[in-house]
Amino acid sequence: MFNFLSTETLGIIALSLRMTLLSTAIASIIGVPFGLWLDKAHFPGKRFIVLFNRSLMAAPPVVVGLVAYLLLMRSGPLGFMGRLFTFEGMVFAQVLLLTPIISGLVYNAAHRSAANIRAFAKTMGATKMQTQILLIRELSNDIYFAAVTGFGRAMSEVGAVMVVGGNIRYHTRVMTTTISMLRNRGEIDVAIFLGVVLLIVAFAVQLIAGFLRKREHRTDENF
Amino acid sequence: MKIFRLKKDFEKFSLNIDSLDMSEQKIYGIIGPNGCGKTTAMKLMAGIMQPDSGVVDSGGLTARDITMVFRKPYLMHESVLKNLLYPLKIRGITPDMQYIEHLLELSGLQALRDTYALTLSGGEQQKLALMRAVVFSPKLVFIDEGFSNMDIESIAVFEEFILKMQAKSKLTWVITSHQLSTIRRLCEHVIFMHAGEVKAQGNTEEILSSPQLPELKQYLQFV
């Protein structure tokens, strides 16, 4: 039987938050520079890369989980690391899922305004480094928004972590996989409790996103 | 500044300037109908855009000496004051706050110094962009329809400001405008462009008072 606020339940909530934060951070570290680079770079096949990235943004989590599983399984290319059914394995799967989302959103934002920012930086006589700093500062709302979107996706995702993590008690059990398991067992009360916690986190994330959108909207005002 | 066989091709437009010679410390005006290549020519001269072929010799000036103001200027997601101070900040120059206050007062932005710059009206944005362009004392200033959203009184104030600044600091200015009164008041020399080419150039009064080319006659008829 599950207890509300038991050590196990709190552990599940903590593990979920830790996994989500870590995977969002890693995916942002990879995705943000990649999105910015993709906007600036010109090479044959760029359109295909952009299209492929967009396709990955909508990839079903369970498919991404399967890919991560195939990479991490004992006979897979990363099998020697022994990370299948571990916390690190789940983070790996989520990074695969989130990176295209974050890079895609950053690319779209950069595609919309980076050329103007770079041109402006040139007219101001900014160095390359100063231009990069300006670019990141001016796109910071979009970058936050991309990270927040990634965080929300990671928090609510069940397919990939279920496939790679295996929902092992005290080890890889997170909120979404627990809710799914409890529903199967008929222990609806704890499932609802975890669902509410998940909703509160999602609400907090949306509040941040809403704040960012509001700030962005303000930029269009003209008196 | 010397331009020699400058060429830039776009899908539906081609810019070809065979040769153009601009002396230092003078104010030049570029006129011509919409889409004739004024902005492209300016971007190429300012080094914001790279030509397909040809040479722009800016006489030893570096990117840090040249600036450009666009009709729709880029303003950072910062306050009016921070926007104004940006070129000084990236040059490591301590601002002379007395001069900054003078610029803010002149442009009527003193009360708006802490306002989020993107909430300014179109005319106010142009005033801020013009002040920001000259705050670091550049040697070559390009203004691309930089007064187009300003009211008549503000245009007069800025024309006066440019003339005073010119008398004091002797910069080189290149200005595009459809307001011939501005061109007449500010510019010693005028360049007429049509269909991506320089069709006529010379003393402003001579060019505007007795146009020889049919294209120029037609343009002046409707301005």
Side-chain angles (χ1 to χ4, degrees), chain A residues 113 116-117 119-127 130-131 134 137-138 141 215-216 218-223, chain B residues 47-48 63-64 66-68 70 74-78 86-87 89-91 116 118-122 132-133:
Chain A
S113 35
N116 283 341
I117 298 169
F120 161 69
K122 240 178 188 175
T123 65
M124 292 287 102
T127 61
Q130 286 168 339
T131 303
L134 181 73
R137 266 180 46 193
E138 289 297 293
N141 274 358
R215 217 188 136 188
E216 215 169 49
R218 222 173 53 176
T219 65
D220 294 332
E221 288 173 6
N222 194 350
F223 301 108
Chain B
I48 292 165
R64 292 225 144 184
I66 302 170
T67 191
M68 182 167 174
F70 297 97
Y74 185 86
L75 296 181
M76 298 186 298
H77 293 61
E78 297 281 3
Y86 179 71
K89 190 182 162 192
I90 60 172
R91 285 168 175 77
Y116 191 52
L118 290 151
T119 61
L120 297 178
S121 71
R132 186 177 58 185

Side-chain angles (χ1 to χ4, degrees), chain B residues 177-207:
Chain B
S177 178
H178 290 297
Q179 285 149 328
L180 290 188
S181 57
T182 297
I183 297 291
R184 276 202 157 99
R185 187 151 185 233
L186 295 179
C187 307
E188 297 153 74
H189 298 266
V190 74
I191 294 154
F192 172 67
M193 289 187 69
H194 189 270
E197 289 176 21
V198 172
K199 295 285 187 183
Q201 56 175 309
N203 178 275
T204 304
E205 268 319 303
E206 282 172 20
I207 294 280

Side-chain angles (χ1 to χ4, degrees), chain A residues 15-110:
Chain A
L15 187 72
S16 300
L17 288 172
R18 205 152 55 90
M19 176 192 71
T20 308
L21 280 171
L22 188 61
S23 51
T24 307
I26 296 171
S28 298
I29 289 167
I30 302 167
V32 172
F34 180 69
L36 292 175
W37 173 80
L38 197 57
D39 170 62
K40 200 187 174 193
H42 297 285
F43 56 90
K46 178 178 167 174
R47 282 181 68 177
F48 172 75
I49 298 288
V50 171
L51 199 67
F52 185 62
N53 191 83
R54 279 194 186 137
S55 307
L56 290 180
M57 285 172 84
V62 72
V63 175
V64 176
L66 187 64
V67 171
Y69 179 88
L70 292 170
L71 291 169
L72 293 173
M73 64 191 281
R74 194 182 291 272
S75 55
L78 301 176
F80 67 93
M81 295 167 89
R83 288 290 176 262
L84 194 60
F85 305 124
T86 65
F87 172 77
E88 292 82 3
M90 291 197 298
V91 169
F92 175 70
Q94 290 221 319
V95 168
L96 287 186
L97 187 72
L98 302 189
T99 303
I101 294 171
I102 292 173
S103 62
L105 289 173
V106 170
Y107 168 77
N108 282 347

Side-chain angles (χ1 to χ4, degrees), chain B residues 62-106:
Chain B
T62 67
R64 292 225 144 184
D65 302 317
I66 302 170
T67 191
M68 182 167 174
V69 181
F70 297 97
R71 187 179 61 81
K72 206 176 166 191
Y74 185 86
L75 296 181
M76 298 186 298
H77 293 61
E78 297 281 3
S79 68
V80 167
L81 185 63
K82 282 189 177 172
N83 265 279
L84 189 55
L85 297 181
Y86 179 71
L88 299 176
K89 190 182 162 192
I90 60 172
R91 285 168 175 77
I93 300 170
T94 311
D96 172 358
M97 287 315 288
Q98 213 174 339
Y99 181 56
I100 298 295
E101 290 299 332
H102 167 68
L103 292 182
L104 285 169
E105 193 183 346
L106 191 89

